[in-house]
Amino acid sequence: MGAVILRGGRVLGDEAADIRLTAEGRIAAIRPTGTDTAPVPCIDIDGLVVLPAFVDLHTHLREPGSEDSETIASGTRAAAAGGFSDVFAMANSRPVTDTPDRVSWIARTAARVGAARVHPVGAITTNLEGTSPAPLAAMAKTGARMFSDDGRCVDDADILRRALLAARTSGTVIAQHAQCRHLAGQGQVNAGPAAERTGLTPWPHVAEETVVARDVILAGESGGRLHVCHVSTAGTVGIVRWAKNNGWPVTAEVAPHHLLLTDDLASDANPLYKVNPPLRSATDVKVLRSALRDGTIDAVATDHAPHTSRSKAADWCHAPFGMLGLEAALSVVAEVLRRDGAPDWPRIAQVMSHQPARIGSLDTAGRPLTAHEPATFTLVDPQADWQVDPLDLHSLSHNTPFTARVFHNRVKATVVDGHVTHDAAGLLRTTTDEESPR
Ligand SMILES: [Zn+2]
């Protein structure tokens, strides 16, 4: 953007301020609005909330292997549109990211085509088969900061324990998709009324909780960092709280859909609401929200899982699990994380930016919005009233569960190190940009 003053922005929802950026993509100063008189161009962002750009610990970019549902280019465009500067790309591509070469291929490709920074997640086991450990140390040397077999659960406790020990040595983190295959079986919907009404195979909450209970014990014993993916039940929240009270190195994330939607939606067996773990009860949703507020759950992670319209048009049992998440995440979180009737912006910055950056060991993302820090931020319109239209999204796929829903907060622009990565309304265009179109 060059040296510029953004006039009237509300940092973390605070009083309006002048935010001056340096030509090198850093924040020069933040002052009360109208008081910065530096001789640089001004852009009016009156009333927009300024947040540190978001970090997603859980994105499925689908490339390589399923480029008809998403690519690194389209998925990172969706990320930028959702206010994200950084995403962690899950390992369950085809081929699986289970070698140093594949880790570097993703990093290289994303550096070339990505609209957001991409951090490849390495697999815990070769080809996600759960039987032989992947080369974690070598992948960590190539830049993988997180390891996960997400999509599948690492059943073997000894393999998980060894992965935690390797994570401890390399300063990385093990992210587990907790699903006991013996208890969940071919589970399709939350056990309870939704399963009874549809006749679909139940996916009981204990199938998640028993695995999380085992895993946190292994984290405590090994000293390796465990991150619990997409917490979906009240019982899991209790286990994570217990682990943290014991001082064990455990963190947890929740997905936007689990904060807003309940298993009622699955009653019609519309595959748009098919997700793994499944949508849960209203009680679970309530407990997840308060756990995000009180810090038991550290972060929001989207579990952005694009699928082609064709595959989602199949009947429930044949349709794949998963929902889009990146582009509506902020809108959902601003709706559920409130204080005194308004979005709790400081807490939102914690759970969408600072904490995920810390969990993923990123030093350049999730930074505070203060002088000398990188100009990496997201502008949110708190009076947007936007209706989600799947055809307007940047993702190649359209499987959002929020179609036609109206949200009041919307990401308007994203800036990473002073570079505009999303600006649909042209808010951040200066006159010089207009004179020299690229
Ligand atoms: Zn998962």
Side-chain angles (χ1 to χ4, degrees), residues 115-282:
R117 295 181 289 222
V118 174
H119 309 281
V121 175
I124 297 171
T125 67
T126 298
N127 204 29
L128 309 180
E129 282 166 6
T131 46
S132 60
L136 267 56
M139 286 191 280
K141 275 200 192 108
T142 337
R145 295 170 163 94
M146 178 184 272
F147 297 94
S148 182
D149 275 6
D150 184 68
R152 303 220 186 135
C153 180
V154 178
D155 294 322
D156 186 320
D158 184 51
I159 289 180
L160 191 81
R161 181 171 174 273
R162 280 192 269 163
L164 286 162
L165 289 167
R168 185 184 164 174
T169 307
S170 58
T172 55
V173 61
I174 301 298
Q176 169 80 300
H177 167 120
Q179 176 177 5
C180 171
R181 64 192 164 105
H182 304 288
L183 291 169
Q186 298 301 309
Q188 298 283 318
V189 294
N190 190 27
E196 284 153 27
R197 218 169 306 151
T198 53
L200 294 166
T201 316
W203 196 133
H205 56 93
V206 290
E208 174 174 309
E209 293 153 6
T210 48
V211 172
V212 175
R214 179 199 77 176
D215 290 353
V216 299
I217 291 169
L218 293 173
E221 182 264 350
S222 65
R225 281 201 294 135
L226 173 77
H227 179 67
V228 183
C229 292
H230 40 54
V231 171
S232 74
T233 80
T236 300
V237 168
I239 296 160
V240 170
R241 188 173 290 136
W242 171 65
K244 288 186 166 189
N245 286 341
N246 288 342
W248 297 342
V250 172
T251 54
E253 69 184 32
V254 62
H257 47 266
H258 288 128
L259 290 167
L260 193 63
L261 309 177
T262 66
D263 57 358
D264 272 355
L265 289 165
S267 301
D268 300 335
N270 176 350
L272 224 37
Y273 302 110
K274 178 172 176 176
V275 66
N276 192 11
L279 300 177
R280 301 290 189 186
S281 71

Side-chain angles (χ1 to χ4, degrees), residues 60-71:
H60 296 279
L61 290 176
R62 301 297 189 221
E63 185 179 355
S66 306
E67 290 85 351
D68 52 344
S69 51
E70 197 79 286
T71 62

Side-chain angles (χ1 to χ4, degrees), residues 10 25 32 151 167 170 227 232 253 276 339 353 364 380 399 413 427:
R10 297 168 52 213
S170 58
H227 179 67
S232 74
E253 69 184 32
N276 192 11
R339 205 171 51 178
S353 181
T364 52
V380 176
N399 55 310
L427 276 177

